[in-house]
Structure formats: C-alpha cells, structure tokens
Amino acid sequence: MTKQTQIVTGTPHVATAGGLAVGFPAVRPRTLIAVVVASAVLLGVTLWGVIVPADVHMAVLLVAVPALTAAADNTRTTVGMTALACLGVVAVDADDGLRSSPILPIDVLGLLVVCALVLVVRRLRDVDHRTLCAVRSVSETAQKAVLPPLPCRMAGLEIATAYRSAAAHAHIGGDVYAAERVGRTVRLLIGDVRGNGLAAVDDAAAVIGAFREAAHRDVQLEHVAVSLDAGARRRFDQVGETDSNAAERFITALVLEIPDDLPVVRVISCGHPDSMRSHGADVDFLEVPQPAPPLGLGGERAAYQVNTFRFEPEDTLLLHTDGLLETRDGAGEFYPALDRFALLAEGEPQYLIERLMSDLTVHAGGEVQDDVAMVAVRRLAATTTEGTDADGRHACPVVTESGSWPE
C-alpha cells in the first residue's frame, strides 16, 4: 500500500558559507507563479504605458498587480509588488505629463485600496483554512478511533483496506469494517450504517465495539451475528427516546470467518452486498441465497445461516459496501466492479484496492456520492509472520486518496 508521505512546505533551506549556516525561506510554487505573473504584468503595462501616446492612460491597469498576488502565501509579497506597482504608476503618469495632476494620487490610491482588499481576503482565507485543517484533523482522529487500521497480515492472510467518505473534507462516515484473531480463526466484519452524519458515526462505533466483544465470546459464527443484531436493537431502542427516526435505522453487514486449517470462508449476510472472490483466472460473487435481515431489525435466530465457500491459497476476497456497486458515471451507468476486480485480482491486495478506488473516482467524474469501504483479503500460500509481532499482525495505512486508472 502506498504510504502517505507528509510534505512540509514553507521550511527554510539551509546553506553553509564560511562554516556558518545561512537560511533561505522556501517559496511555494503558487507564490512563485503569482510573483512571476504579477511582475510580467507590471513590466508589460509600465513599458507599454511609456511607449503609447499620452492620451492613452495605461497606469490604471496596474491595479491588476496586487490583485494577482492574492494567490501568494504571505503579506510581504503583496506589499512588495504593490510598492513596485506604485513606482510604475509614477513612471507612466510622469511620462504622460500627469506629475502634478490629481490623477496620479488617485491611481496610487487605487493600488493601495486593492492591496488592502487582497490582504483582508487573504486573512479571511487563512482563518478558514486553519479551521478546515482543524476539522480534518478531528475527522482523522475520529476515524482512527472508530475504524483503527486493520493489520496488513493476520496469520496466513494478507489484508488491505480502503475508505472514502462521501462528505466533503471528511474522512469518516457510516461504513465499518473490523477483524479479530480468535484462536486459529480470523473473523471479519464489514457493514454499512443507514443514514449519515454523527448518528451514523455513533452507530458505526457501537457495532464495531459489539463485534469485537462477540467475536471472542461466541463460539459459533451465527451466535456472533445474533449478538450484533441484539446489540443494534438495544442501541436503537435507547436512542429512540430522543430520536424519532431511530425506528428507521439499521445496519447491513457481512460476518465472515476464515479458519487457518481449512481452505474455506464462512459467511453470514445481514442484507449486505455479496463479496467477490478470485480463484486463478475466475472471479465471482459469493452469493448468499437467503440473507438475514439487516442488524437492528430483529431477525429470527434461524435466519442467520452460515454459508461456506471455497477459499484456497492465492485466492482473494473483496469485501465492500454498496458504494462500490451503486456509483454511476455521467451517463447513469453503474460501476463495473466485478469486471475491474477481474483485471486486478491477481495483484497484491494493497494494489487492488488502490487501483479500484482510483478507477471508481474516475468513473464518477471525481465526485463519489456515497461512502465506500473495501477490504481485500488474500490467503497466502504459506503462513509468514516475519517482520510482525507475536500475533503475526501489524497495522497498515488506509487508502483514502485516489488517483487515475492506468492507461
């Protein structure tokens, strides 16, 4: 999985001269571009103003110089370019014979007014930017608390995860996933909480907590699903005292179990989209014939039936929420998830989900309208725990950013 490297900008470059460290402030590309464009306009208008006849007044165009520095990151750039523009106004007006005319101070005043407006707008932009950064930081912290990264490897399984929230500037929503090592078995959960906002996040945290407890307490997989449903119903009953819409809340989910010593995967579906499986060159959906009702709707114990499928070494499972299947392009066509999975399934799980998330974003025209969560699980040919802790697990980052589909 591609690691997200933090690039720190604005830090000074350091050089040595005669054994002394000399610092030079780093310049961001957008500031450099703003200075270059503003300087070009300044020189062009000034030279043209001197060349053209005096009855063509060009100095007024120099108000564009401070305006063009709005993209810069600091006040010094705007003030410095405004000062140079004032000199350009004096030169052009003097060449036009307006040195003693009231037009000269009016032109200079216009530059100063535009400079002041740019500084005010930049100040407001910086305040909004800091607020947005703070919100994103809180969102990322909440995501790590609600959805901590899954281990890259659990015993003989290689795992990779991807998550994208449909909410603008947010990294968390109502999709959930979790994995627990229980004896010689790995149990997994993927789910989709109905609704959005803080209520969905709260429900997501509750169902993950319930799964972690039930996965270790209940011996049978169907008992885990029953416990999750009972926990969801209790929660919805509690919040129903203050939320009139609580009766309409539910959680679709897949509860899975992958034993170490058997080439199978056991699945219970609670109204959730079927997962995909690759076996060599073949790919298919693991279709559950009789899914149980979503969690929180009070399904009968007999409804939680375990479905067993082959899951052999080098096979890959793709667990996902409905955002992967229901995303449409501009023509209204659904995303061809199974076809794309077939193209990429032979790669490593981290590559698989990175490319799927990238392609999904391209298919949606850059605007994915629903939360999307994916968990790719590959059974290795042999159990390898080298480089991991005693449990054979270490956390990997979650894919949250997207790129483009390879040509």
Side-chain angles (χ1 to χ4, degrees):
M1 189 176 302
T2 303
K3 296 184 178 179
Q4 298 175 359
T5 303
Q6 182 180 8
I7 301 176
V8 180
T9 58
T11 55
H13 299 292
V14 178
T16 58
L20 298 176
V22 181
F24 298 94
V27 179
R28 293 188 180 183
R30 68 180 187 184
T31 298
L32 182 60
I33 293 173
V35 171
V36 170
V37 174
S39 299
V41 171
L42 172 61
L43 292 175
V45 172
T46 302
L47 292 176
W48 190 250
V50 172
I51 295 172
V52 300
D55 56 345
V56 180
H57 191 60
M58 301 291 294
V60 69
L61 298 179
L62 288 174
V63 296
V65 173
L68 289 170
T69 64
D73 294 314
N74 55 72
T75 300
R76 293 189 301 271
T77 300
T78 299
V79 173
M81 293 304 301
T82 301
L84 293 176
C86 289
L87 295 178
V89 165
V90 172
V92 174
D93 284 354
D95 182 73
D96 291 343
L98 302 175
R99 185 186 300 271
S100 302
S101 170
I103 295 179
L104 175 57
I106 291 175
D107 288 342
V108 173
L109 180 61
L111 282 171
L112 297 179
V113 170
V114 173
C115 175
L117 291 175
V118 169
L119 296 180
V120 170
V121 171
R122 180 183 293 123
R123 174 65 178 173
L124 296 175
R125 182 195 66 189
D126 291 344
V127 170
D128 290 342
H129 179 70
R130 287 194 295 269
T131 301
L132 177 59
C133 289
V135 170
R136 289 178 66 90
S137 176
V138 172
S139 174
E140 291 171 0
T141 301
Q143 183 194 36
K144 291 178 182 178
V146 176
L147 288 177
L150 298 187
C152 286
R153 184 164 299 167
M154 298 183 74
L157 303 177
E158 188 176 4
I159 302 174
T161 57
Y163 190 94
R164 176 163 183 164
S165 172
H169 308 302
H171 287 239
I172 189 168
D175 290 355
V176 299
Y177 50 75
E180 291 293 323
R181 178 81 169 143
V182 183
R184 294 186 56 79
T185 299
V186 174
R187 286 177 169 173
L188 300 110
L189 168 74
I190 187 165
D192 186 354
V193 177
R194 183 184 185 277
N196 50 45
L198 293 178
V201 174
D202 205 13
D203 291 345
V207 73
I208 289 179
F211 171 76
R212 289 174 181 158
E213 179 180 356
H216 292 274
R217 182 191 62 223
D218 298 322
V219 176
Q220 302 296 326
L221 188 63
E222 54 266 42
H223 295 166
V224 175
V226 171
S227 296
L228 292 179
D229 176 69
R233 281 187 286 121
R234 284 195 303 270
R235 168 165 180 77
F236 297 154
D237 290 341
Q238 292 172 355
V239 300
E241 299 176 1
T242 57
D243 184 0
S244 59
N245 296 321
E248 301 177 1
R249 289 157 70 170
F250 58 83
I251 305 167
T252 67
L254 286 181
V255 185
L256 303 95
E257 182 177 79
I258 304 176
D260 294 351
D261 52 357
L262 293 175
V264 299
V265 55
R266 304 184 183 105
V267 182
I268 295 178
S269 173
C270 302
H272 196 80
D274 295 323
S275 58
M276 304 178 200
R277 175 189 59 184
S278 74
H279 176 72
D282 299 327
V283 297
D284 59 355
F285 283 103
L286 300 186
E287 297 183 359
V288 175
Q290 294 182 339
L295 302 177
L297 297 184
E300 298 293 333
R301 182 179 294 267
Y304 299 100
Q305 298 180 6
V306 177
N307 300 266
T308 302
F309 303 92
R310 298 293 296 179
F311 186 47
E312 300 177 354
E314 304 301 331
D315 288 358
T316 299
L317 283 178
L318 180 65
L319 318 178
H320 57 87
T321 55
D322 59 6
L324 181 66
L325 302 178
E326 296 180 358
T327 296
R328 299 173 183 259
D329 61 10
E333 296 293 330
F334 288 108
Y335 178 67
L338 187 63
D339 294 339
R340 293 292 194 260
F341 176 63
L343 293 175
L344 300 168
E346 293 184 1
E348 296 181 354
Q350 61 185 28
Y351 175 81
L352 166 66
I353 61 170
E354 284 177 349
R355 304 318 302 162
L356 280 176
M357 188 65 81
S358 300
D359 189 41
L360 181 69
T361 304
V362 173
H363 181 83
E367 295 292 335
V368 179
Q369 300 298 323
D370 194 8
D371 295 340
V372 180
M374 290 184 282
V375 179
V377 183
R378 185 179 189 184
R379 188 188 284 276
L380 301 177
T383 301
T384 303
T385 58
E386 181 180 357
T388 65
D389 60 22
D391 294 329
R393 52 186 291 164
H394 57 95
C396 284
V398 179
V399 175
T400 57
E401 301 298 332
S402 56
S404 58
W405 181 254
E407 297 294 339

